[in-house]
């Protein structure tokens, strides 16, 4: 403790910082305590774990339908980029059409797929592969693969959501933590970039 000019006691700046960090982290965990009974933080490193308190600014979305709606709205609102890390995702025709229109307007996409990922594509997937090939050639669409994706991140330059894995399981695609808070967004961007550097070039047989 220190005293100010009015002889009042104050916490030292470093103590105030510690309190803020500890409060936001404990607040996020306790507000979602039942979630953490059967989920974990996957392969998140200590440097990101120490900043997990930024998730206290997120909104928890429950249910695949609600998450899919948020996913589509985020893509529609994107102006500059779309970044994803996926263990499992369903690329509906509507999602593919949104991405295609955004690419025509010049946005950039980066996606990391898990080596054991489960991806569902619409029936016209082969046709879409040809349609999107020009964007891969010009560098607008970049794809990499990682041995195992244990945390899903979907983000644009404006907003993001994150999905964690079940304990001893895969990413739970039925619950997500969403926000457009800048601190949360910075966390997501830096985590994605960390994963991107660690990922390898994505290849599809014959494509």
């Amino acid at each position: 403790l220190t005293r100010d000019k009015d002889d009042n006691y104050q916490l030292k700046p470093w103590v105030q910082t510690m309190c803020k960090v500890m409060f936001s982290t404990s607040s996020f965990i306790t507000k979602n305590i039942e979630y953490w009974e059967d989920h974990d933080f996957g392969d998140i490193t200590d440097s990101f774990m120490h900043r997990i308190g930024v998730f206290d600014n997120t909104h928890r979305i429950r249910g695949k339908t609600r998450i899919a709606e948020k996913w589509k709205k985020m893509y529609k609102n994107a102006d500059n980029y779309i970044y994803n890390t996926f263990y499992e995702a369903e690329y509906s025709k509507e999602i593919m059409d949104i991405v295609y229109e955004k690419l025509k307007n010049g946005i950039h996409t980066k996606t990391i797929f898990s080596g054991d990922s489960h991806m569902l594509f619409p029936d016209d997937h082969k046709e879409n592969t040809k349609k999107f090939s020009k964007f891969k050639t010009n560098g607008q669409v970049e794809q990499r693969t990682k041995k195992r994706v244990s945390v899903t991140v979907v983000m644009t330059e404006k907003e993001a959501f994150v999905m964690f894995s079940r304990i001893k399981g895969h990413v739970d695609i039925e619950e997500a933590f969403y926000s457009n808070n800048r601190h949360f967004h910075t966390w997501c961007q830096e985590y994605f970039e960390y994963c991107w550097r660690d990922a390898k070039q994505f290849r599809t047989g014959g494509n």
Side-chain angles (χ1 to χ4, degrees):
L1 292 175
T2 59
R3 286 185 178 182
D4 61 20
K5 61 182 180 180
D6 298 319
D7 210 30
N8 296 316
Y9 285 100
Q10 291 183 321
L11 291 174
K12 290 184 177 181
W14 66 268
V15 179
Q16 293 179 31
T17 301
M18 283 187 62
C19 288
K20 287 179 182 178
V21 171
M22 292 172 63
F23 175 79
S24 58
T25 299
S26 61
S27 175
F28 169 61
I29 297 297
T30 54
K31 281 192 301 188
N32 301 283
I33 194 67
E34 85 288 353
Y35 177 87
W36 295 111
E37 291 291 334
D38 65 349
H39 291 79
D40 65 25
F41 290 99
D43 61 358
I44 290 177
T45 61
D46 288 346
S47 62
F48 292 102
M49 281 298 301
H50 293 159
R51 297 157 53 203
I52 208 69
V54 298
F55 278 74
D56 197 37
N57 299 304
T58 62
H59 167 65
R60 187 171 162 192
I61 306 174
R62 307 184 196 198
K64 290 173 70 174
T65 301
R66 289 181 178 177
I67 292 171
E69 287 302 313
K70 177 59 71 177
W71 185 13
K72 286 186 287 187
K73 286 180 181 178
M74 286 172 57
Y75 278 17
K76 285 179 180 178
N77 290 334
D79 292 320
N80 299 323
Y81 67 79
I82 295 171
Y83 294 167
N84 315 281
T85 65
F86 285 135
Y87 164 71
E88 180 176 346
E90 184 173 348
Y91 274 98
S92 65
K93 184 179 186 304
E94 188 175 2
I95 286 283
M96 299 293 281
D97 288 345
I98 293 170
V99 174
Y100 183 71
E101 290 302 314
K102 290 294 179 178
L103 288 167
K104 288 200 300 184
N105 289 329
I107 72 158
H108 188 187
T109 73
K110 290 183 178 181
T111 303
I112 301 171
F113 296 100
S114 183
D116 58 347
S117 62
H118 294 263
M119 310 302 296
L120 299 176
F121 294 94
D123 293 336
D124 59 351
H125 176 50
K126 288 185 177 180
E127 181 182 332
N128 278 323
T129 299
K130 294 179 181 178
K131 188 167 69 171
F132 281 84
S133 62
K134 61 182 177 182
F135 299 114
K136 291 183 180 180
T137 301
N138 70 16
Q140 278 182 257
V141 172
E142 295 185 77
Q143 298 174 329
R144 293 187 181 182
T145 184
K146 187 179 175 186
K147 185 175 181 180
R148 181 174 182 266
V149 169
S150 60
V151 177
T152 283
V153 176
V154 175
M155 69 179 300
T156 69
E157 75 282 356
K158 300 173 184 175
E159 51 197 333
F161 70 69
V162 174
M163 295 185 283
F164 295 101
S165 292
R166 291 189 177 277
I167 296 175
K168 297 181 180 179
H170 300 295
V171 174
D172 180 3
I173 62 171
E174 297 190 1
E175 297 200 55
F177 294 95
Y178 162 85
S179 182
N180 59 6
N181 173 272
R182 65 185 180 89
H183 299 298
F184 173 72
H185 188 274
T186 298
W187 187 100
C188 292
Q189 186 172 26
E190 292 179 359
Y191 178 72
F192 177 84
E193 290 170 352
Y194 168 81
C195 293
W196 185 258
R197 289 192 298 269
D198 190 48
K200 298 179 180 179
Q201 190 68 31
F202 180 79
R203 298 181 184 280
T204 55
N207 291 328

